[in-house]
């Protein structure tokens, strides 16, 4: 989980748009669900 938080903070500095922005929102609200969907 901490790795995901680090990644999100790092990506946010690049001002993502579109799908990347939506993914960051999902990771913020429900990181466990997002990671479970990847497995």
């Amino acid at each position: 989980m901490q790795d995901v938080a680090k990644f999100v903070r790092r990506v946010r500095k690049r001002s993502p748009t579109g799908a990347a922005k939506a993914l960051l929102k999902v990771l913020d609200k429900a990181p466990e669900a997002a990671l479970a969907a990847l497995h």
Side-chain angles (χ1 to χ4, degrees):
M1 245 350 121
Q2 290 176 353
D3 291 338
V4 172
K6 279 189 217 175
F7 173 76
V8 169
R9 281 193 293 272
R10 199 169 55 236
V11 170
R12 276 210 177 118
K13 292 177 185 176
R14 293 187 232 153
S15 299
T17 59
K21 194 172 189 175
L23 178 59
L24 289 176
K25 274 188 178 181
V26 171
L27 287 172
D28 267 350
K29 304 278 187 205
E32 298 87 8
L35 292 174
L38 295 173
H39 290 292

